[in-house]
Amino acid sequence: MKVLILGSGGREHALAWAVKRSKRVTEIVCAPGNGGIAQIARCVPVDLKDLDAMVHVADIEQPDLTIVGPELPLSLGIVDAMQRRGFRVFGPTRAAAMLESSKGFAKRFLQRHNIPTANYAVCTKADELEKAIDIFRAPIVVKADGLAAGKGVIICPSRQIALEAAHGLFSGKLLGEPQHQVILEEFLDGEEISFLCLSDGTHVAPLAPAQDHKRIGEGDTGPNTGGMGVYSTDTLLDAAMQEWIMHHIAEPTVQGMALEGTPFMGVLYIGLMMTARGPQVLEFNARFGDPETQAILLRLESDLVDALEASIDGRLDQVELRWTPGASACVVASSSGYPGSYKTGFPITGLSTAAEVPGVQIFHSGSARLGSQLMTGGGRVLAAAAAAPSLQEALARAYQAMAEIQFEGIYFRRDIGHRALKRTQ
Ligand code: AMP
Ligand code: GLY
């Protein structure tokens, strides 16, 4: 079986690693991939913003299964385009991916289906803001409607700052592109959980829960990033809470999408805030999380390819996912300056010693190969992920591996898992 993976980050490296473990897979192609992925898959260049170019890669490669990693190709309709040409592809259609690509759509959908989420107002014109904002008390959350790679959410300490942020989104001053819709939202307080599920359009199979660390600084300070580290443990959600989330959030979402004629097949990533009044949906993503996937797949014992194929074929109810008990952790190393501007092209050393730490896998996010040397090539550069019987051990292994890795300006948070560690103390 030949598998094509679209994407170029740590998530795609972890997907390639998990796909490679499947006995049925004989060849993996990743487009465009990165320097680390190139060690386990054949990488071919492609522009992930160019639908025709991605379809062209599929036409040439003729994969038996395609897995779409990032949100952009999904929002452009890569799944629709490939399905029309008869390819088997894992991921939601453009219409179903609107759960991620339009926050206005997602909020209205949540409300239509009585799924718990923060109170909100969608504004389509700047002159609606003044009136809409009066139902909120500070802090007020202001969000861009469309994809913004983590930069589209502004938590505002006052009404005035919220109005300025919302005007900045409408005018294009904040994100470069003017937004056609801006969402005002009630601020939710609590712990965040990444709850990912596979869906075949009807059935839902939860993956191991994870907790991301989105801020750049230790103690969850500083600007938002794509995710600086993550862990997954059995104890993050107890069985009763997991069941509640499935029954009140995950299943109603999948049923609601099917009822509305846009069934969701793929990975539904539910970003939850665990508040005093119960779990509330913060956001949906229509894809695997990054770096959640690196930690989650390290714990997956079942064959990933079987599970993805069952999703495509509508028989997810017949699949039972098996997980290694215990924990996994993933620590991301970034370039100095990230998530602001940063330099690339620095040699990375110590990778083979790092990979020898028991239970550790190194997943590359932004690396490039120059001859035999791996160089930094992105803001998030790579991650050390480890599985172990306990979170303490998984973290110790990931940090032991990270201590071996060097490149100019390397930065990583040293407090990944801090909330869970505090709970167990
Ligand atoms: P989103 O892109 O919607 O996930 O937002 C990015 C991050 O902003 C989330 O992971 C939260 O940390 C934070 N956030 C988003 N919405 C809210 C909210 N209503 N209340 C508090 N924090 C939020
Ligand atoms: N780690 C957050 C995301 O994948 O959106």
Side-chain angles (χ1 to χ4, degrees):
M1 184 173 177
K2 178 172 178 175
V3 179
L4 170 64
I5 299 171
L6 292 175
S8 64
R11 162 184 52 212
E12 287 75 22
H13 195 171
L15 286 167
W17 173 82
V19 163
K20 192 163 188 252
R21 296 188 338 162
S22 170
K23 286 188 191 69
R24 295 162 54 209
V25 173
T26 47
E27 191 181 355
I28 308 172
V29 180
C30 190
N34 64 37
I37 297 174
Q39 294 167 337
I40 57 168
R42 180 160 58 81
C43 293
V44 297
V46 80
D47 179 355
L48 294 169
K49 297 188 287 302
D50 185 341
L51 197 58
D52 292 338
M54 289 183 280
V55 171
H56 184 63
V57 168
D59 278 340
I60 291 174
E61 297 291 344
Q62 292 292 315
D64 301 300
L65 168 67
T66 299
I67 307 169
V68 186
E71 58 274 24
L72 186 62
L74 295 170
S75 70
L76 295 174
I78 184 66
V79 171
D80 314 57
M82 286 187 65
Q83 280 175 348
R84 276 198 298 274
R85 297 170 88 88
F87 288 110
R88 278 169 76 70
V89 49
F90 177 81
T93 59
R94 180 181 182 159
M98 273 183 68
L99 281 180
E100 174 169 7
S101 62
S102 169
K103 288 193 194 289
F105 172 83
K107 293 298 289 191
R108 291 183 175 119
F109 173 88
L110 287 161
Q111 193 176 35
R112 275 200 295 283
H113 296 278
N114 287 317
I115 300 169
T117 191
N119 285 324
Y120 72 100
V122 180
C123 298
T124 49
K125 283 193 220 80
D127 55 18
E128 291 170 10
L129 287 168
E130 293 269 350
K131 200 161 158 230
I133 208 161
D134 284 337
I135 64 163
F136 297 97
R137 246 197 280 163
I140 302 170
V141 184
V142 178
K143 298 186 175 186
D145 182 64
L147 298 178
K151 299 198 182 80
V153 176
I154 310 129
I155 296 175
C156 306
S158 71
R159 181 181 186 277
Q160 191 50 35
I161 293 172
L163 282 174
E164 280 164 26
H167 282 293
L169 289 174
F170 272 125
S171 70
K173 210 174 93 191
L174 277 187
L175 289 178
E177 296 245 328
Q179 292 291 309
H180 302 297
Q181 291 197 119
V182 169
I183 292 97
L184 304 175
E185 209 175 274
E186 167 199 12
F187 176 80
L188 297 177
D189 203 13
E191 246 188 75
E192 280 185 66
I193 302 276
S194 305
F195 191 86
L196 282 69
C197 323
L198 298 181
S199 168
D200 61 10
T202 309
H203 312 102
V204 191
L207 305 183
Q211 185 162 62
D212 193 11
H213 299 63
K214 288 191 200 255
R215 307 292 197 93
I216 189 74
E218 281 161 22
D220 299 315
T221 53
N224 249 338
T225 69
M228 293 303 293
V230 68
Y231 69 90
S232 168
T233 63
D234 292 333
T235 48
L236 197 49
L237 291 177
D238 63 27
M241 184 57 93
Q242 166 145 332
E243 204 175 300
W244 194 95
I245 295 167
M246 286 294 286
H247 194 66
H248 292 90
I249 297 178
E251 287 162 3
T253 301
V254 167
Q255 284 158 11
M257 291 299 280
L259 268 173
E260 294 187 7
T262 49
F264 187 99
M265 185 276 290
V267 178
L268 179 66
Y269 170 140
I270 307 173
L272 291 173
M273 190 70 96
M274 308 303 277
T275 73
R277 62 171 199 263
Q280 306 271 321
V281 177
L282 277 180
E283 61 158 345
F284 288 121
N285 293 317
R287 49 163 177 84
F288 283 103
D290 190 342
E292 284 89 340
T293 304
Q294 292 87 312
I296 289 171
L297 292 183
L298 265 195
R299 297 188 62 202
L300 179 66
E301 282 177 6
S302 318
D303 187 316
L304 177 68
V305 172
D306 286 348
L308 302 189
E309 288 218 299
S311 305
I312 295 174
D313 295 335
R315 44 180 182 80
L316 206 49
D317 53 328
Q318 294 160 30
V319 169
E320 212 199 316
L321 297 174
R322 280 172 290 104
W323 302 95
T324 312
S328 60
C330 171
V331 178
V332 174
S334 64
S335 301
S336 170
Y338 175 79
S341 61
Y342 54 82
K343 292 194 183 120
T344 59
F346 299 116
I348 309 170
T349 58
L351 287 168
S352 45
T353 328
E356 279 165 20
V357 178
V360 164
Q361 291 294 327
I362 306 296
F363 294 121
H364 293 232
S365 306
S367 73
R369 190 165 281 281
L370 195 71
S372 61
Q373 177 62 53
L374 275 164
M375 318 288 276
T376 64
R380 289 188 293 177
V381 175
L382 52 80
S390 72
L391 179 60
Q392 282 85 345
E393 274 171 84
L395 286 164
R397 289 174 182 187
Y399 279 116
Q400 191 188 337
M402 203 49 105
E404 301 293 338
I405 298 174
Q406 262 126 42
F407 56 82
E408 192 172 317
I410 185 171
Y411 167 79
F412 56 89
R413 277 180 61 168
R414 283 156 210 274
D415 67 341
I416 299 306
H418 65 100
R419 288 173 200 275
L421 295 179
K422 227 174 268 155
R423 271 195 296 272
T424 55
Q425 268 163 12

